[in-house]
Amino acid sequence: MWIVEKKVGIFTHYLTLSGRFQPGMEKAKHFTSKQMAEAMARVQGGVVRQLNEN
């Protein structure tokens, strides 16, 4: 799974289902493909990070 995140000051915000960046990883939208996450990161201005699936 992949998420899109953005640094806001010293905090990390995550792209939510509503298309906004908010704090709290539990609100983050999870992408199944890296390509889709990268496309959203380009549009929204964030970076892609892979979640560990242990």
Side-chain angles (χ1 to χ4, degrees), residues 39-50:
M40 289 302 291
R42 279 192 299 275
V43 170
Q44 298 290 337
V47 295
V48 175
R49 183 166 63 98
Q50 184 175 20

Side-chain angles (χ1 to χ4, degrees), residues 2 4 9-11 20 24 29 38 40-41 43 45 50:
W2 304 85
V4 178
I10 61 170
F11 302 102
R20 298 185 336 211
K29 177 174 175 144
E38 288 173 340
M40 289 302 291
V43 170
Q50 184 175 20

Side-chain angles (χ1 to χ4, degrees), residues 20-35:
R20 298 185 336 211
F21 283 96
Q22 295 184 341
M25 190 180 292
E26 65 278 352
K27 298 177 185 177
K29 177 174 175 144
H30 295 84
F31 296 93
T32 55
S33 77
K34 184 178 181 182
Q35 291 78 16

